[in-house]
Amino acid sequence: MKSTKYSDKVLDHFRNPRNVGSLEGEDVASGRVGNPVCGDLMEVYIKVEDGRIVDAKFQTFGCGSAIATSSMTTEMVKGMTLEEAMKVTRADVAEELDGLPPIKMHCSNLAADALHEAIKNYMIEHGLAMEEDEEQTQIQTTEIKGKEEFIGKGISERATNFDDFRDLRVVVMFTGEESVETAIKLTEYTNRVVLITPKRKIAVSDELNRRLNDSSVKVITEGEILEAKGEGELEKLIVHNLDEDTTYELFVDALVTME
Amino acid sequence: MRSIYMDYQSAKPVDPRVVEKMSPYFTEHFGNPSALHHVGDVATEALERGRETIAGFINADPDEIIFTSGATESNNMALIGYALRNKRKGNHIIISEIEHISIHNIAKYLTSIGFEISKVPVDQYGRVNPAKIERRIRDDTILISVGHASNEIGTIQRIQEIGELAEARGIAFHTDAVAAEGLVGIDVRRDRINLMSLSSNDIYGPRGLGVLYMQKRYRVNPIIIGGGQERGLRSGSENIPAIVGMSAAAEIAQREMKDETKRMMGHRDQLIEEILNTVPDSHLNGHPTERLASNAHFRFDGIEGEAILLSFKDRGIAVSTGSACSSKTLEPSHTLIATGLIHEEAHGSLQLTVGRFTTKDEVEEVLEAVPEIVTRLRELSPLYKSR
């Protein structure tokens, strides 16, 4: 079956998604699942009154079925109690949509998971459940395998001569404000600058954060560099995606470690 | 609903002039070239005329042309056939990171039967640096295979430089020229190409026919064994109507390429210029200048390619994307990843390829649709916060 062979209902929800947007307020909670690196990211918002979901909204980055399942999930849960909504499964959502192509059943059908996250968050915020231990996020401490081999051949501690980076694909490791300044400055010399951190976000001053957002720097969060590879010079990095616990290749010309 | 086709890279219509030339070979001149009677002779004549025309199209000799069932088969013959024939000389083969998927999968197969494959990375525009090939050459390297141009992002390689490098080191050089044929002048002598794959449909000929160009003194093992057609290199009765079609297509391409690529470049440049100007946070994938006349390839921050494709489909516009969500494997395009993009960026790509029958009106209709589609999908996206 073609991966885009969708039912009329899926297409209808893709074309006219219901409940797009976000919600705010004390009786509102949200859940976020997926990771843009793997192609789908969904946020579901619920508004709860007397233990019932009275409104639900979503925002989704993803393919046609990701959008349709988000839309359908928010439609289905309106009026449900939190308990009922907790029982809504991916299969229920797919069934309401008259089915999904088999290959899409897993990856693009995360809306039920986002809904469950939102419910959990609501319960925690309202003292109805205990908070789970937050994983400790850290700056990268793992040694990059193969690093020594490429020092001076693509890997440097600091960007001393910015002209050396002209038109190269540069990755800068986030170690604080100075690394962000370096990344921003590099964009004057090349259009491909990536700032990478194992943390969930880049924590710097508001002013610097604004400048980072306005720049063309591409930020990778929850990414840890495991290994440097190349033939005589740095050519690619192996990156561990901490959120999904997967690894991927990032093709680069230079790495600035900011140690 | 009106239908607009902007996916010439995935399939091309057969030129009506080609269909006309082919027609008698289905009914009147149906003979088998192996047969010795007069009906067979007519087929033999068509076969050899076809061989001469294709040879002329790439500046080769007719006996360097082997007809196959398509470029995938040609790639199989060139890599597997050459590797098996020459394994006593060595078992190391170099390919690039942005080859067509068929080359990557053939390389995987060769690894499984004991050959070693090195992959050469590309720069951020998708170009192979010959110095990086050189660094991978070993004493036991027998073959280098680098595609003439990328079928996805349209980047054209420095084929002559790579050919000269391979020649100087005494290594065979194969190029998959499918994406480039008909858009770039191909000259196997000038570019020092020893083996080359071509497809009929990519020059507006019929499907089901390809060519392996194999320079004299180069040898491959056949991978299809049978009645010994094509000097024993490719058995099976020759597909005469398709051969007549491909040679008619090559004649047209040779005659009209200059004007045609000029017209296509006009469409391409209009697409690139206006999309980059009107859509915020949009980027061009591939090389800014060294790219096929047909290819415009973009990515848009914060949205996903399959959703883009479906939105175009709703407007009767056929396009393509490098997104994982539209592929069979759910892996994003290896080509976009090789240029240094992360998955999230590769997911947001849109490939527009124009062709022989693209009109200015169609380009304008697509240009009208792009910002509307991108804006709508960004409104749904948690990733895109407009600046």
Side-chain angles (χ1 to χ4, degrees), chain B residues 204-232:
Chain B
Y204 303 89
R207 303 258 187 104
L209 190 79
V211 159
L212 176 69
Y213 151 79
M214 183 172 76
Q215 196 180 354
K216 275 173 226 144
R217 86 186 175 79
Y218 287 80
R219 291 281 176 275
V220 300
N221 277 3
I223 52 171
I224 292 182
I225 320 286
Q229 286 86 348
E230 300 296 276
R231 289 178 285 137

PDB file of all heavy atoms in Angstrom, chain B residues 204-232:
ATOM      1  N   TYR B 204      12.791  11.246 -22.630  1.00  0.00           N
ATOM      2  CA  TYR B 204      11.446  11.210 -23.232  1.00  0.00           C
ATOM      3  C   TYR B 204      11.250  10.043 -24.180  1.00  0.00           C
ATOM      4  O   TYR B 204      10.464  10.105 -25.125  1.00  0.00           O
ATOM      5  CB  TYR B 204      11.109  12.542 -23.928  1.00  0.00           C
ATOM      6  CG  TYR B 204      11.215  13.716 -22.987  1.00  0.00           C
ATOM      7  CD1 TYR B 204      12.427  14.393 -22.814  1.00  0.00           C
ATOM      8  CD2 TYR B 204      10.121  14.127 -22.245  1.00  0.00           C
ATOM      9  CE1 TYR B 204      12.539  15.445 -21.927  1.00  0.00           C
ATOM     10  CE2 TYR B 204      10.226  15.180 -21.358  1.00  0.00           C
ATOM     11  CZ  TYR B 204      11.438  15.835 -21.196  1.00  0.00           C
ATOM     12  OH  TYR B 204      11.540  16.872 -20.320  1.00  0.00           O
ATOM     13  N   GLY B 205      11.995   8.953 -23.942  1.00  0.00           N
ATOM     14  CA  GLY B 205      11.765   7.705 -24.650  1.00  0.00           C
ATOM     15  C   GLY B 205      10.901   6.799 -23.788  1.00  0.00           C
ATOM     16  O   GLY B 205      10.533   7.160 -22.671  1.00  0.00           O
ATOM     17  N   PRO B 206      10.586   5.597 -24.299  1.00  0.00           N
ATOM     18  CA  PRO B 206       9.728   4.684 -23.534  1.00  0.00           C
ATOM     19  C   PRO B 206      10.449   4.084 -22.336  1.00  0.00           C
ATOM     20  O   PRO B 206      11.675   4.006 -22.322  1.00  0.00           O
ATOM     21  CB  PRO B 206       9.406   3.593 -24.552  1.00  0.00           C
ATOM     22  CG  PRO B 206      10.585   3.593 -25.476  1.00  0.00           C
ATOM     23  CD  PRO B 206      11.027   5.022 -25.574  1.00  0.00           C
ATOM     24  N   ARG B 207       9.683   3.661 -21.327  1.00  0.00           N
ATOM     25  CA  ARG B 207      10.257   2.943 -20.187  1.00  0.00           C
ATOM     26  C   ARG B 207      10.717   1.560 -20.620  1.00  0.00           C
ATOM     27  O   ARG B 207      10.364   1.092 -21.685  1.00  0.00           O
ATOM     28  CB  ARG B 207       9.192   2.728 -19.117  1.00  0.00           C
ATOM     29  CG  ARG B 207       8.562   3.950 -18.636  1.00  0.00           C
ATOM     30  CD  ARG B 207       9.116   4.369 -17.303  1.00  0.00           C
ATOM     31  NE  ARG B 207       8.304   5.465 -16.857  1.00  0.00           N
ATOM     32  CZ  ARG B 207       7.375   5.357 -15.925  1.00  0.00           C
ATOM     33  NH1 ARG B 207       7.206   4.207 -15.314  1.00  0.00           N
ATOM     34  NH2 ARG B 207       6.647   6.378 -15.587  1.00  0.00           N
ATOM     35  N   GLY B 208      11.443   0.923 -19.729  1.00  0.00           N
ATOM     36  CA  GLY B 208      11.820  -0.465 -19.977  1.00  0.00           C
ATOM     37  C   GLY B 208      13.022  -0.618 -20.884  1.00  0.00           C
ATOM     38  O   GLY B 208      13.284  -1.688 -21.398  1.00  0.00           O
ATOM     39  N   LEU B 209      13.766   0.468 -21.090  1.00  0.00           N
ATOM     40  CA  LEU B 209      14.995   0.359 -21.864  1.00  0.00           C
ATOM     41  C   LEU B 209      16.070   1.243 -21.248  1.00  0.00           C
ATOM     42  O   LEU B 209      15.817   2.382 -20.856  1.00  0.00           O
ATOM     43  CB  LEU B 209      14.774   0.772 -23.328  1.00  0.00           C
ATOM     44  CG  LEU B 209      15.987   0.418 -24.209  1.00  0.00           C
ATOM     45  CD1 LEU B 209      15.987  -1.052 -24.581  1.00  0.00           C
ATOM     46  CD2 LEU B 209      16.053   1.276 -25.456  1.00  0.00           C
ATOM     47  N   GLY B 210      17.249   0.681 -21.167  1.00  0.00           N
ATOM     48  CA  GLY B 210      18.402   1.444 -20.704  1.00  0.00           C
ATOM     49  C   GLY B 210      19.603   1.068 -21.522  1.00  0.00           C
ATOM     50  O   GLY B 210      19.524   0.205 -22.404  1.00  0.00           O
ATOM     51  N   VAL B 211      20.708   1.721 -21.242  1.00  0.00           N
ATOM     52  CA  VAL B 211      21.944   1.450 -21.965  1.00  0.00           C
ATOM     53  C   VAL B 211      23.093   1.363 -20.970  1.00  0.00           C
ATOM     54  O   VAL B 211      23.139   2.133 -20.004  1.00  0.00           O
ATOM     55  CB  VAL B 211      22.227   2.575 -23.001  1.00  0.00           C
ATOM     56  CG1 VAL B 211      23.693   2.627 -23.399  1.00  0.00           C
ATOM     57  CG2 VAL B 211      21.355   2.400 -24.233  1.00  0.00           C
ATOM     58  N   LEU B 212      23.967   0.393 -21.198  1.00  0.00           N
ATOM     59  CA  LEU B 212      25.267   0.444 -20.541  1.00  0.00           C
ATOM     60  C   LEU B 212      26.285   0.751 -21.611  1.00  0.00           C
ATOM     61  O   LEU B 212      26.426   0.006 -22.587  1.00  0.00           O
ATOM     62  CB  LEU B 212      25.616  -0.892 -19.855  1.00  0.00           C
ATOM     63  CG  LEU B 212      27.024  -0.895 -19.232  1.00  0.00           C
ATOM     64  CD1 LEU B 212      27.106   0.029 -18.032  1.00  0.00           C
ATOM     65  CD2 LEU B 212      27.462  -2.300 -18.847  1.00  0.00           C
ATOM     66  N   TYR B 213      26.974   1.882 -21.453  1.00  0.00           N
ATOM     67  CA  TYR B 213      28.117   2.167 -22.317  1.00  0.00           C
ATOM     68  C   TYR B 213      29.322   1.511 -21.656  1.00  0.00           C
ATOM     69  O   TYR B 213      29.557   1.692 -20.461  1.00  0.00           O
ATOM     70  CB  TYR B 213      28.316   3.682 -22.446  1.00  0.00           C
ATOM     71  CG  TYR B 213      29.761   4.070 -22.691  1.00  0.00           C
ATOM     72  CD1 TYR B 213      30.330   3.957 -23.951  1.00  0.00           C
ATOM     73  CD2 TYR B 213      30.567   4.521 -21.648  1.00  0.00           C
ATOM     74  CE1 TYR B 213      31.671   4.272 -24.162  1.00  0.00           C
ATOM     75  CE2 TYR B 213      31.893   4.845 -21.838  1.00  0.00           C
ATOM     76  CZ  TYR B 213      32.440   4.718 -23.099  1.00  0.00           C
ATOM     77  OH  TYR B 213      33.766   5.021 -23.302  1.00  0.00           O
ATOM     78  N   MET B 214      30.055   0.731 -22.433  1.00  0.00           N
ATOM     79  CA  MET B 214      31.248   0.089 -21.898  1.00  0.00           C
ATOM     80  C   MET B 214      32.380   0.279 -22.894  1.00  0.00           C
ATOM     81  O   MET B 214      32.325  -0.225 -24.022  1.00  0.00           O
ATOM     82  CB  MET B 214      30.988  -1.398 -21.662  1.00  0.00           C
ATOM     83  CG  MET B 214      32.159  -2.111 -21.033  1.00  0.00           C
ATOM     84  SD  MET B 214      31.717  -3.791 -20.569  1.00  0.00           S
ATOM     85  CE  MET B 214      31.746  -4.574 -22.172  1.00  0.00           C
ATOM     86  N   GLN B 215      33.394   1.005 -22.466  1.00  0.00           N
ATOM     87  CA  GLN B 215      34.503   1.322 -23.363  1.00  0.00           C
ATOM     88  C   GLN B 215      35.248   0.051 -23.766  1.00  0.00           C
ATOM     89  O   GLN B 215      35.350  -0.884 -22.972  1.00  0.00           O
ATOM     90  CB  GLN B 215      35.467   2.286 -22.656  1.00  0.00           C
ATOM     91  CG  GLN B 215      36.411   2.958 -23.617  1.00  0.00           C
ATOM     92  CD  GLN B 215      37.362   3.918 -22.911  1.00  0.00           C
ATOM     93  OE1 GLN B 215      37.238   4.160 -21.703  1.00  0.00           O
ATOM     94  NE2 GLN B 215      38.295   4.469 -23.651  1.00  0.00           N
ATOM     95  N   LYS B 216      35.759   0.049 -25.009  1.00  0.00           N
ATOM     96  CA  LYS B 216      36.543  -1.098 -25.468  1.00  0.00           C
ATOM     97  C   LYS B 216      37.667  -1.358 -24.478  1.00  0.00           C
ATOM     98  O   LYS B 216      38.216  -0.430 -23.895  1.00  0.00           O
ATOM     99  CB  LYS B 216      37.141  -0.785 -26.842  1.00  0.00           C
ATOM    100  CG  LYS B 216      36.186  -1.082 -27.978  1.00  0.00           C
ATOM    101  CD  LYS B 216      36.760  -0.601 -29.303  1.00  0.00           C
ATOM    102  CE  LYS B 216      35.682   0.126 -30.041  1.00  0.00           C
ATOM    103  NZ  LYS B 216      35.966   1.242 -30.809  1.00  0.00           N
ATOM    104  N   ARG B 217      38.005  -2.564 -24.316  1.00  0.00           N
ATOM    105  CA  ARG B 217      39.013  -3.111 -23.410  1.00  0.00           C
ATOM    106  C   ARG B 217      38.556  -3.165 -21.950  1.00  0.00           C
ATOM    107  O   ARG B 217      39.251  -3.708 -21.112  1.00  0.00           O
ATOM    108  CB  ARG B 217      40.406  -2.453 -23.564  1.00  0.00           C
ATOM    109  CG  ARG B 217      40.647  -1.193 -22.768  1.00  0.00           C
ATOM    110  CD  ARG B 217      41.985  -0.582 -23.110  1.00  0.00           C
ATOM    111  NE  ARG B 217      42.131   0.676 -22.428  1.00  0.00           N
ATOM    112  CZ  ARG B 217      42.458   0.819 -21.154  1.00  0.00           C
ATOM    113  NH1 ARG B 217      42.714  -0.234 -20.407  1.00  0.00           N
ATOM    114  NH2 ARG B 217      42.558   2.026 -20.613  1.00  0.00           N
ATOM    115  N   TYR B 218      37.360  -2.670 -21.660  1.00  0.00           N
ATOM    116  CA  TYR B 218      36.779  -2.891 -20.330  1.00  0.00           C
ATOM    117  C   TYR B 218      35.820  -4.069 -20.433  1.00  0.00           C
ATOM    118  O   TYR B 218      35.167  -4.238 -21.456  1.00  0.00           O
ATOM    119  CB  TYR B 218      36.067  -1.638 -19.814  1.00  0.00           C
ATOM    120  CG  TYR B 218      37.069  -0.592 -19.403  1.00  0.00           C
ATOM    121  CD1 TYR B 218      37.681   0.218 -20.359  1.00  0.00           C
ATOM    122  CD2 TYR B 218      37.456  -0.468 -18.076  1.00  0.00           C
ATOM    123  CE1 TYR B 218      38.646   1.135 -20.002  1.00  0.00           C
ATOM    124  CE2 TYR B 218      38.418   0.450 -17.712  1.00  0.00           C
ATOM    125  CZ  TYR B 218      39.009   1.249 -18.680  1.00  0.00           C
ATOM    126  OH  TYR B 218      39.961   2.142 -18.313  1.00  0.00           O
ATOM    127  N   ARG B 219      35.762  -4.873 -19.401  1.00  0.00           N
ATOM    128  CA  ARG B 219      34.942  -6.086 -19.447  1.00  0.00           C
ATOM    129  C   ARG B 219      34.104  -6.217 -18.181  1.00  0.00           C
ATOM    130  O   ARG B 219      34.558  -5.880 -17.103  1.00  0.00           O
ATOM    131  CB  ARG B 219      35.847  -7.321 -19.554  1.00  0.00           C
ATOM    132  CG  ARG B 219      36.584  -7.464 -20.867  1.00  0.00           C
ATOM    133  CD  ARG B 219      35.666  -8.016 -21.958  1.00  0.00           C
ATOM    134  NE  ARG B 219      36.341  -8.057 -23.257  1.00  0.00           N
ATOM    135  CZ  ARG B 219      36.408  -7.026 -24.104  1.00  0.00           C
ATOM    136  NH1 ARG B 219      35.831  -5.874 -23.809  1.00  0.00           N
ATOM    137  NH2 ARG B 219      37.044  -7.144 -25.253  1.00  0.00           N
ATOM    138  N   VAL B 220      32.892  -6.714 -18.374  1.00  0.00           N
ATOM    139  CA  VAL B 220      32.065  -7.040 -17.208  1.00  0.00           C
ATOM    140  C   VAL B 220      31.547  -8.468 -17.368  1.00  0.00           C
ATOM    141  O   VAL B 220      31.449  -8.967 -18.487  1.00  0.00           O
ATOM    142  CB  VAL B 220      30.845  -6.084 -17.046  1.00  0.00           C
ATOM    143  CG1 VAL B 220      31.288  -4.653 -16.889  1.00  0.00           C
ATOM    144  CG2 VAL B 220      29.870  -6.240 -18.204  1.00  0.00           C
ATOM    145  N   ASN B 221      31.231  -9.109 -16.257  1.00  0.00           N
ATOM    146  CA  ASN B 221      30.537 -10.397 -16.323  1.00  0.00           C
ATOM    147  C   ASN B 221      29.060 -10.113 -16.563  1.00  0.00           C
ATOM    148  O   ASN B 221      28.515  -9.186 -15.961  1.00  0.00           O
ATOM    149  CB  ASN B 221      30.683 -11.164 -15.004  1.00  0.00           C
ATOM    150  CG  ASN B 221      31.989 -11.919 -14.922  1.00  0.00           C
ATOM    151  OD1 ASN B 221      32.827 -11.829 -15.836  1.00  0.00           O
ATOM    152  ND2 ASN B 221      32.169 -12.654 -13.846  1.00  0.00           N
ATOM    153  N   PRO B 222      28.414 -10.920 -17.411  1.00  0.00           N
ATOM    154  CA  PRO B 222      26.969 -10.720 -17.573  1.00  0.00           C
ATOM    155  C   PRO B 222      26.249 -11.070 -16.276  1.00  0.00           C
ATOM    156  O   PRO B 222      26.722 -11.910 -15.513  1.00  0.00           O
ATOM    157  CB  PRO B 222      26.600 -11.710 -18.681  1.00  0.00           C
ATOM    158  CG  PRO B 222      27.687 -12.723 -18.683  1.00  0.00           C
ATOM    159  CD  PRO B 222      28.927 -12.041 -18.198  1.00  0.00           C
ATOM    160  N   ILE B 223      25.128 -10.397 -16.028  1.00  0.00           N
ATOM    161  CA  ILE B 223      24.354 -10.775 -14.848  1.00  0.00           C
ATOM    162  C   ILE B 223      23.037 -11.416 -15.272  1.00  0.00           C
ATOM    163  O   ILE B 223      22.319 -11.952 -14.442  1.00  0.00           O
ATOM    164  CB  ILE B 223      24.115  -9.576 -13.895  1.00  0.00           C
ATOM    165  CG1 ILE B 223      23.520  -8.396 -14.653  1.00  0.00           C
ATOM    166  CG2 ILE B 223      25.396  -9.171 -13.207  1.00  0.00           C
ATOM    167  CD1 ILE B 223      23.065  -7.297 -13.736  1.00  0.00           C
ATOM    168  N   ILE B 224      22.745 -11.343 -16.580  1.00  0.00           N
ATOM    169  CA  ILE B 224      21.580 -12.072 -17.098  1.00  0.00           C
ATOM    170  C   ILE B 224      22.086 -13.037 -18.169  1.00  0.00           C
ATOM    171  O   ILE B 224      22.705 -12.615 -19.158  1.00  0.00           O
ATOM    172  CB  ILE B 224      20.511 -11.108 -17.659  1.00  0.00           C
ATOM    173  CG1 ILE B 224      19.906 -10.316 -16.491  1.00  0.00           C
ATOM    174  CG2 ILE B 224      19.423 -11.870 -18.422  1.00  0.00           C
ATOM    175  CD1 ILE B 224      18.818  -9.362 -16.880  1.00  0.00           C
ATOM    176  N   ILE B 225      21.863 -14.297 -17.939  1.00  0.00           N
ATOM    177  CA  ILE B 225      22.403 -15.330 -18.815  1.00  0.00           C
ATOM    178  C   ILE B 225      21.269 -15.915 -19.650  1.00  0.00           C
ATOM    179  O   ILE B 225      20.155 -16.056 -19.141  1.00  0.00           O
ATOM    180  CB  ILE B 225      23.022 -16.490 -17.972  1.00  0.00           C
ATOM    181  CG1 ILE B 225      23.774 -15.966 -16.757  1.00  0.00           C
ATOM    182  CG2 ILE B 225      23.851 -17.437 -18.830  1.00  0.00           C
ATOM    183  CD1 ILE B 225      25.096 -15.331 -17.038  1.00  0.00           C
ATOM    184  N   GLY B 226      21.535 -16.182 -20.905  1.00  0.00           N
ATOM    185  CA  GLY B 226      20.480 -16.749 -21.745  1.00  0.00           C
ATOM    186  C   GLY B 226      20.985 -17.022 -23.142  1.00  0.00           C
ATOM    187  O   GLY B 226      22.050 -17.634 -23.311  1.00  0.00           O
ATOM    188  N   GLY B 227      20.272 -16.517 -24.115  1.00  0.00           N
ATOM    189  CA  GLY B 227      20.551 -16.836 -25.515  1.00  0.00           C
ATOM    190  C   GLY B 227      21.726 -16.108 -26.143  1.00  0.00           C
ATOM    191  O   GLY B 227      21.978 -16.255 -27.338  1.00  0.00           O
ATOM    192  N   GLY B 228      22.423 -15.285 -25.359  1.00  0.00           N
ATOM    193  CA  GLY B 228      23.660 -14.694 -25.858  1.00  0.00           C
ATOM    194  C   GLY B 228      23.513 -13.420 -26.676  1.00  0.00           C
ATOM    195  O   GLY B 228      24.418 -13.034 -27.413  1.00  0.00           O
ATOM    196  N   GLN B 229      22.388 -12.741 -26.537  1.00  0.00           N
ATOM    197  CA  GLN B 229      22.241 -11.470 -27.259  1.00  0.00           C
ATOM    198  C   GLN B 229      23.224 -10.424 -26.685  1.00  0.00           C
ATOM    199  O   GLN B 229      23.772 -10.616 -25.607  1.00  0.00           O
ATOM    200  CB  GLN B 229      20.797 -10.944 -27.125  1.00  0.00           C
ATOM    201  CG  GLN B 229      19.774 -11.702 -27.962  1.00  0.00           C
ATOM    202  CD  GLN B 229      19.224 -12.916 -27.254  1.00  0.00           C
ATOM    203  OE1 GLN B 229      19.720 -13.350 -26.230  1.00  0.00           O
ATOM    204  NE2 GLN B 229      18.178 -13.501 -27.837  1.00  0.00           N
ATOM    205  N   GLU B 230      23.394  -9.324 -27.402  1.00  0.00           N
ATOM    206  CA  GLU B 230      24.324  -8.271 -26.985  1.00  0.00           C
ATOM    207  C   GLU B 230      25.705  -8.862 -26.659  1.00  0.00           C
ATOM    208  O   GLU B 230      26.279  -8.623 -25.594  1.00  0.00           O
ATOM    209  CB  GLU B 230      23.773  -7.469 -25.803  1.00  0.00           C
ATOM    210  CG  GLU B 230      22.459  -6.756 -26.061  1.00  0.00           C
ATOM    211  CD  GLU B 230      22.556  -5.669 -27.128  1.00  0.00           C
ATOM    212  OE1 GLU B 230      22.956  -4.529 -26.811  1.00  0.00           O
ATOM    213  OE2 GLU B 230      22.241  -5.971 -28.306  1.00  0.00           O
ATOM    214  N   ARG B 231      26.210  -9.621 -27.581  1.00  0.00           N
ATOM    215  CA  ARG B 231      27.522 -10.275 -27.464  1.00  0.00           C
ATOM    216  C   ARG B 231      27.646 -11.097 -26.169  1.00  0.00           C
ATOM    217  O   ARG B 231      28.713 -11.156 -25.556  1.00  0.00           O
ATOM    218  CB  ARG B 231      28.652  -9.234 -27.525  1.00  0.00           C
ATOM    219  CG  ARG B 231      28.816  -8.645 -28.925  1.00  0.00           C
ATOM    220  CD  ARG B 231      29.897  -7.597 -28.955  1.00  0.00           C
ATOM    221  NE  ARG B 231      29.447  -6.373 -28.335  1.00  0.00           N
ATOM    222  CZ  ARG B 231      30.153  -5.636 -27.501  1.00  0.00           C
ATOM    223  NH1 ARG B 231      31.360  -6.035 -27.134  1.00  0.00           N
ATOM    224  NH2 ARG B 231      29.670  -4.526 -27.018  1.00  0.00           N
ATOM    225  N   GLY B 232      26.557 -11.645 -25.759  1.00  0.00           N
ATOM    226  CA  GLY B 232      26.575 -12.501 -24.580  1.00  0.00           C
ATOM    227  C   GLY B 232      26.539 -11.729 -23.274  1.00  0.00           C
ATOM    228  O   GLY B 232      26.455 -12.312 -22.192  1.00  0.00           O
TER     229      GLY B 232
END
